[in-house]
Amino acid sequence: MTLAAATATVAAADPHGFLSPTGVEIAFLLVGLVTLGAALVTVTTRQLVHAALWLVVALGGLAVEYLLLTAEFIAWVQVLIYVGSVVVLLLFGLMLTRAPIGRSPDADSGNRWAAVAVAVAAAVALVWVVVDAFRTTWIDLTGPAAGTTEVTGASLFRHWVLPFEALSVLLLAALVGAIVLSRKAKADAATAVPGKEGAR
């Protein structure tokens, strides 16, 4: 068998390529562009409520991307935790702190160009790491779902037990630290009030 025949056989056996995308890959690209646009609007708008609503669009777009990658469990976790909890908590925080509904000049920072440079550098590094790690890996989107609850749970608790537990300890430490800092702030405020009354 000649080299040309061997190359043709390999190409016929593996029809995937950047020049022959499938419908799912095109949908993935379009949803990714919408998600990227929503994320850019989230960090550039000066209206806090609009930023929170665009964040819903960005996180929902990520959930759709997970569904297109047959990771249905991760997609529903994304919807329930981030869209259903984090964004609602953010909106409640905006309402309880009486944040301005319209344009807020305080939402703009003078370090915009430094932030843009850091964001571009982080994006380039992330893309480089992902491309280098999955250079020739193709996900079979037409086969059985690879992101079901059973598969994800088995992979998580078989290969990622230590990072999972380390993250749990980190979150617990952050929760304890937040409680300690809030109690200290209340104690400082309680001791400062009698001093002011005595001065009067």
Side-chain angles (χ1 to χ4, degrees), residues 10-181:
V10 172
D14 186 16
H16 296 293
F18 291 105
L19 299 179
S20 59
T22 62
V24 177
E25 292 170 349
I26 295 175
F28 183 88
L29 179 60
L30 294 178
V31 174
L33 292 176
V34 172
T35 305
L36 178 61
L40 290 176
V41 175
T42 301
V43 298
T44 54
T45 183
R46 294 187 180 181
Q47 300 190 15
L48 298 179
V49 177
H50 289 182
L53 296 178
W54 280 109
L55 182 61
V56 173
V57 177
L59 296 177
L62 285 178
V64 175
E65 298 282 53
Y66 288 136
L67 281 177
L68 292 175
L69 292 175
T70 68
E72 53 195 36
F73 176 70
I74 305 299
W76 292 121
V77 168
Q78 173 83 11
V79 172
L80 292 176
I81 294 180
Y82 287 97
V83 179
S85 299
V86 174
V87 176
V88 172
L89 180 63
L90 180 61
L91 291 175
F92 268 103
L94 292 176
M95 289 187 293
L96 293 176
T97 56
R98 297 180 180 179
I101 302 299
R103 296 175 64 88
S104 177
D106 297 335
D108 195 9
S109 174
N111 300 324
R112 173 174 295 184
W113 292 112
V116 170
V118 172
V120 170
V124 170
L126 182 61
V127 170
W128 180 79
V129 169
V130 171
V131 171
D132 185 66
F134 303 97
R135 187 179 302 274
T136 58
T137 303
W138 292 91
I139 300 176
D140 187 12
L141 301 178
T142 60
T148 59
T149 307
E150 180 181 1
V151 175
T152 304
S155 176
L156 181 63
F157 292 104
R158 184 177 301 168
H159 305 289
W160 301 96
V161 176
L162 184 59
F164 183 78
E165 294 299 330
L167 181 60
S168 302
V169 174
L170 179 62
L171 293 176
L172 179 61
L175 179 61
V176 172
I179 294 174
V180 170
L181 291 176

